[in-house]
Amino acid sequence: MTTLSRGLALGALAAALTVTLPAWSPAGAAGPQPPRTGFETSNGARWTTQPEEQDFLAAVDRASDRVRTERIGTTAQGRPLRLVRIGAPAPAGADRVRRGNAVLLICSQHGDEPSGREACLSTVRDLAFTRDRATRRFLEHTSVLVVPTANPDGRAADTRGNSDGVDVNRDHLALKTAEARAMAAVQRDHRPDIVYDLHEYGPTAPYYVKDVLSLWPRNPNTAHAVHRESVTLSEKYVRPGAAAAGFSTGVYGIWTDPETGEPVKQVAGDGQERILRNTAGVKNSVGLLVETRVDALTDAEKADPALNNRRRVTSQLAGLKSLFEYAGERRARIESATTRARLAGYADRGPVYLGGADNEPPAPGKVLGDPPCAYRLDARQYTDVKDELALHGVSLRRDGKGGAVVPLRQPMRALVPLLLDGRAEYHLTAATPLKGC
């Protein structure tokens, strides 16, 4: 396809985002239109404001018995962090958290990457009001959890980091930010089978210019079956789905030769356990990071930023469509993989890796071939990290001396050394390893 014809195709695809929504009413008769985002009402000329988001979600919540919106935290600047729960019948109340069979969407962790947020907001609305039988059957078996704005302060300032300048997507282990703490609590309480993280990126021509990039958990502590399902989501669903919608695709962090398509070098995408897609894998969820291209691709997009914005959101929607197809078609395999990964921790067998990635062997000294059976926290250490351990869902037992013992025999087995072993790069504290428990 030539550059001109490709640009026209993308423009036509982007225009599809603005089609008129079908009328909806609870009784199925003539009634009010479903709510629209600020992005939609402006035809992509601007992003949805946070007051508009609040009004939009409140309207969806009031009108649909499939949706519940709740506040899960507050940012340093006082903005709410919200979780939207979608299911049919209505999701369980806060006192009866529904576990498993869940897809979690984390939208716009980086505040200057807004297209994922817009795609998430319109997806909430479309799932809330759909009459499609297949989608309604899907929602009977799978809860869709959405954090529509994972970094509200950064979105307000149009900055990558939060109001303290912290990159939230490097805080999923230490949990120093309100944003990461809220997301950790959602993962702990709902134990999602899939965590899908929506981002945007700036290309580097000619080696890194794909419209949609994706990457699974590379951390080697990810259970084999969970890792396999994550790769399947990327390579068999999201990338082919985006390609079918007219977008070029690639693997995040891998530069490729423009002539041969062969890898040139890896510039990002390692196994750092503090990054959400890797944290999700270590916590036994299928994980995927999706990055969509931000720069204008055609003269028309350069002349009309709204056209560029619509194309960016449409590329995110193409990935989400493929995600839901994957979740529906492979539900049994996904649940089997995540359940087996959680139960495997009770067996307390096998190495734990303090470094490396699925495409990079860990450095010498970064493999615990015979891990300790537990870690002991003294009273000071326990006081320092008890809240973070609780947010991560790590089990422990108090020792009667103000401290605690954290066994490896638990679903979060691989996470425990990453948090408490002094040799781990991002450990919270250097606890005492125990043998012979």
Side-chain angles (χ1 to χ4, degrees):
M1 181 180 290
T2 67
T3 301
L4 177 59
S5 61
R6 180 175 180 276
L8 291 173
L10 287 174
L13 182 62
L17 186 67
T18 63
V19 297
T20 302
L21 290 165
W24 169 87
S25 70
Q33 294 284 329
R36 296 171 69 85
T37 66
F39 178 83
E40 292 171 324
T41 58
S42 71
N43 201 24
R46 62 176 179 81
W47 306 111
T48 303
T49 67
Q50 293 189 37
E52 286 175 332
E53 174 189 313
Q54 181 175 349
D55 292 344
F56 173 85
L57 292 176
V60 173
D61 193 315
R62 286 194 303 268
S64 174
D65 61 2
R66 298 178 195 153
V67 174
R68 294 293 181 271
T69 301
E70 59 193 85
R71 188 168 183 154
I72 55 173
T74 303
T75 69
Q77 293 185 341
R79 292 185 174 87
L81 290 154
R82 297 186 180 90
L83 173 70
V84 183
R85 294 183 287 125
I86 311 165
D95 58 333
R96 294 186 298 112
V97 172
R98 178 176 177 178
R99 295 182 180 273
N101 301 305
V103 176
L104 172 61
L105 309 183
I106 301 294
C107 318
S108 297
Q109 282 197 78
H110 294 147
D112 57 354
E113 300 171 8
S115 72
R117 171 177 177 256
E118 299 294 345
C120 286
L121 288 171
S122 60
T123 294
V124 166
R125 188 262 325 286
D126 294 346
L127 292 176
F129 300 131
T130 184
R131 294 172 177 162
D132 177 70
R133 290 184 179 180
T135 304
R136 295 177 69 173
R137 284 196 298 270
F138 172 81
L139 292 173
E140 289 173 0
H141 299 284
T142 302
S143 293
V144 178
L145 312 171
V146 185
V147 180
T149 307
N151 180 5
D153 291 351
R155 176 79 288 273
D158 195 29
T159 57
R160 177 181 176 89
N162 67 3
S163 58
D164 294 321
V166 177
D167 185 336
V168 178
N169 202 29
R170 300 298 183 273
D171 188 40
H172 291 288
L173 210 67
L175 304 182
K176 299 301 183 184
T177 64
E179 296 87 353
R181 294 169 78 86
M183 285 181 267
V186 171
Q187 292 176 78
R188 176 198 63 196
D189 294 341
H190 292 270
R191 293 192 300 192
D193 293 289
I194 303 169
V195 178
Y196 187 90
D197 188 19
L198 295 82
H199 288 258
E200 296 187 271
Y201 87 105
T204 303
Y207 303 107
Y208 202 46
V209 294
K210 304 299 185 182
D211 302 324
V212 178
L213 302 172
S214 58
L215 186 62
W216 50 89
R218 287 200 183 276
N219 188 283
N221 292 296
T222 305
H224 294 306
V226 170
H227 179 269
R228 183 172 60 249
E229 284 299 324
S230 301
V231 174
T232 297
L233 171 57
S234 171
E235 302 301 277
K236 301 297 184 182
Y237 284 84
V238 170
R239 286 185 60 191
F247 297 103
S248 60
T249 72
V251 175
Y252 177 70
I254 304 295
W255 286 17
T256 57
D257 187 295
E259 298 296 330
T260 66
E262 293 297 315
V264 173
K265 65 177 179 178
Q266 181 169 319
V267 295
D270 59 14
Q272 285 186 29
E273 56 267 27
R274 61 182 183 162
I275 298 172
L276 180 60
R277 62 178 167 80
N278 285 318
T279 308
V282 174
K283 290 183 174 181
N284 309 310
S285 294
V286 173
L288 195 69
L289 166 79
V290 174
E291 300 262 359
T292 59
R293 182 175 176 175
V294 300
D295 61 321
L297 301 184
T298 65
D299 289 341
E301 286 191 3
K302 292 175 183 177
D304 182 3
L307 184 61
N308 175 37
N309 293 343
R310 294 199 300 270
R311 189 261 307 162
R312 289 159 62 181
V313 174
T314 303
S315 65
Q316 295 279 11
L317 290 169
L320 285 170
K321 178 177 182 291
S322 299
L323 164 68
F324 292 128
E325 290 173 353
Y326 165 82
E329 292 175 5
R330 295 183 66 87
R331 179 182 293 110
R333 293 183 179 91
I334 297 164
E335 291 181 4
S336 175
T338 57
T339 299
R340 284 188 286 122
R342 292 163 187 150
L343 294 176
Y346 291 110
D348 192 16
R349 290 195 299 267
V352 175
Y353 303 95
L354 304 182
D358 64 359
N359 62 347
E360 181 182 2
K366 290 295 186 180
V367 179
L368 302 181
D370 182 22
C373 57
Y375 288 85
R376 182 183 300 281
L377 297 165
D378 63 27
R380 178 188 58 79
Q381 290 173 323
Y382 174 69
T383 298
D384 288 344
V385 302
K386 63 180 181 180
D387 291 343
E388 289 73 27
L389 294 179
L391 284 165
H392 282 303
V394 171
S395 299
L396 54 80
R397 61 179 183 272
R398 300 298 305 278
D399 64 4
K401 302 177 182 179
V405 173
V406 184
L408 264 68
R409 193 180 296 275
Q410 59 174 299
M412 295 296 170
R413 177 181 185 268
L415 182 65
V416 171
L418 300 178
L419 297 171
L420 302 181
D421 197 296
R423 293 164 290 183
E425 186 171 0
Y426 303 106
H427 64 274
L428 304 186
T429 190
T432 303
L434 300 179
K435 291 285 189 179
C437 301

